[in-house]
Amino acid sequence: MNVANLSIKEIRERLEILDEVPKDFLQYLKEDKRKGVQALVRQVEAVLARQEQLARQWTEMTEYERMLRSKGHVHVFGIDEVGRGPLAGPVVAGAVCLPEDFYLPGLNDSKKLPAATREAFYEVIMRDALAVGIGIVDARRIDEINILAATKEAMRLAIDNAGMMPDACLLDAVQLSGLACEQVPIIGGDGKSVSIAAASIVAKVTRDKMMAEYAAQYPQYGFDKNAGYGTAEHVAAIARFGPTPLHRMTFAGVKEQA
């Protein structure tokens, strides 16, 4: 192929429609001395390097899933929660069972992803997962039983609401009593397992939507911006307006200002 006969615009258009850049085509581009073509080569190589890095990350983050499937476990659930630390709102857990051939490069701990990426990944997970369950425990229940117990209750609810019983569960740090399947608690699991990462995204997007809805009911507290966490503005609003039914009365930031 003589890419010298192609304009830089034509080369760019060809690259845009290719799902994968053939190695021989990339080599032809490298041999083209035009500065514009060399700029395109650098862009392509950066994309390829990023794809390779994400593929390696995916392999690393599916190690636990592959280990459990090698033991005969078909329905491997990832379990995670969001909302342990806020002064207001529920704790929300997600339970997700991904197909063995699922591939979503870049899937990671929800806290490490921009909101737009989280929401896009959420749509893919909800569409392609074998099962998704969500568990929600509100502020009153958190006050009644404490946040750790409420977190575990939300996780059990998420499993129960998935519509499928797990053969094995990967959990972010905690272990659940009375669960009749193998459990693998992983510290920092939402950054080490794609199943837990998927659960963290489902939980995070679900809770953020809830807090945005609560912001319309209680606009003084900025729930759409702080998600119930104890920002200076949020604490000041509690001191000025008092706590809402969404606030956790046993949490220090609320008790001190209420």
Side-chain angles (χ1 to χ4, degrees), residues 68 71-79 95 155-156 159-160 164-171 174-185:
L68 289 171
K71 297 167 69 174
H73 299 311
V74 177
H75 298 137
V76 177
F77 277 36
I79 319 291
M155 289 179 167
R156 290 302 302 264
I159 295 169
D160 292 344
M164 173 191 293
M165 291 306 296
D167 297 323
C169 286
L170 298 166
L171 303 100
V174 304
Q175 195 156 8
L176 302 178
S177 61
L179 191 60
C181 68
E182 182 173 354
Q183 298 182 57
V184 182

Side-chain angles (χ1 to χ4, degrees), residues 35-81:
K35 290 184 178 179
V37 174
Q38 290 308 303
L40 290 175
V41 168
R42 289 192 292 273
Q43 292 174 18
V44 170
E45 289 182 330
V47 170
L48 292 175
R50 176 61 175 161
Q51 289 174 343
E52 289 176 5
Q53 186 260 328
L54 291 176
R56 287 194 300 271
Q57 181 188 65
W58 186 267
T59 299
E60 292 169 0
M61 290 184 64
T62 54
E63 179 182 354
Y64 290 99
E65 285 82 356
R66 285 182 279 113
M67 178 270 293
L68 289 171
R69 289 190 178 110
S70 72
K71 297 167 69 174
H73 299 311
V74 177
H75 298 137
V76 177
F77 277 36
I79 319 291
D80 198 16
E81 54 69 37

Side-chain angles (χ1 to χ4, degrees), residues 107-187:
L107 179 61
N108 207 332
D109 174 5
S110 63
K111 298 184 293 297
K112 297 178 181 178
L113 301 175
T117 302
R118 278 199 305 266
E119 290 166 8
F121 283 5
Y122 171 87
E123 296 297 333
V124 175
I125 294 163
M126 296 300 290
R127 182 192 69 203
D128 294 344
L130 297 177
V132 176
I134 297 169
I136 300 170
V137 175
D138 65 18
R140 295 289 74 82
R141 182 65 173 163
I142 292 169
D143 286 339
E144 180 183 342
I145 62 175
N146 76 51
I147 186 58
L148 178 57
T151 295
K152 293 182 177 182
E153 186 169 295
M155 289 179 167
R156 290 302 302 264
L157 286 170
I159 295 169
D160 292 344
N161 291 334
M164 173 191 293
M165 291 306 296
D167 297 323
C169 286
L170 298 166
L171 303 100
D172 189 15
V174 304
Q175 195 156 8
L176 302 178
S177 61
L179 191 60
C181 68
E182 182 173 354
Q183 298 182 57
V184 182
I186 307 167
I187 296 173

